[in-house]
Amino acid sequence: MEGLSDQDLDAMIAEALVDAYGEDEELVGFHAVLSDRVAVPFTTEVLGVDVIVEEIDLRPGSGVVAICRRGRILQPIGLRDLPLPDPPPEGAEWIEAFRHWAL
């Protein structure tokens, strides 16, 4: 995401985590914001194959993931590792804020 400064990303992170206390609540807060603001479904490419990102989910032990579909197969992929298409989906700046926070 071009145009987002560290200051912009930090402001978005503060908005997502406004009522969170501790890492578990921070993940829940980010999941809520991502679910509300990232337009799904969208298509992207994973390992050279087109997949449809159907939803953003919060999974125990995995954190925030994108639920990807190819045909009948579903696969969660960590949001930090998900390649974004060009152009990215509406709300993708929130994925960038999540990645900035998760570093």
Side-chain angles (χ1 to χ4, degrees), residues 5-74:
S5 68
D6 284 349
Q7 186 177 14
D8 294 332
L9 294 170
D10 289 341
M12 293 170 74
I13 291 166
E15 181 180 340
L17 305 182
V18 69
D19 292 325
Y21 298 96
E23 189 173 325
D24 289 341
E25 288 186 19
E26 290 174 354
L27 281 173
V28 170
F30 250 116
H31 172 252
V33 169
L34 290 161
S35 294
D36 286 344
R37 305 227 178 137
V38 177
V40 291
F42 65 88
T43 301
T44 192
E45 187 176 298
V46 176
L47 296 174
V49 220
D50 284 345
V51 298
I52 298 170
V53 175
E54 293 190 337
E55 69 176 298
I56 307 294
D57 197 7
L58 181 59
R59 298 266 173 112
S62 297
V64 181
V65 298
I67 304 301
C68 301
R69 174 180 295 280
R70 174 141 173 103
R72 294 184 312 193
I73 300 170
L74 289 175

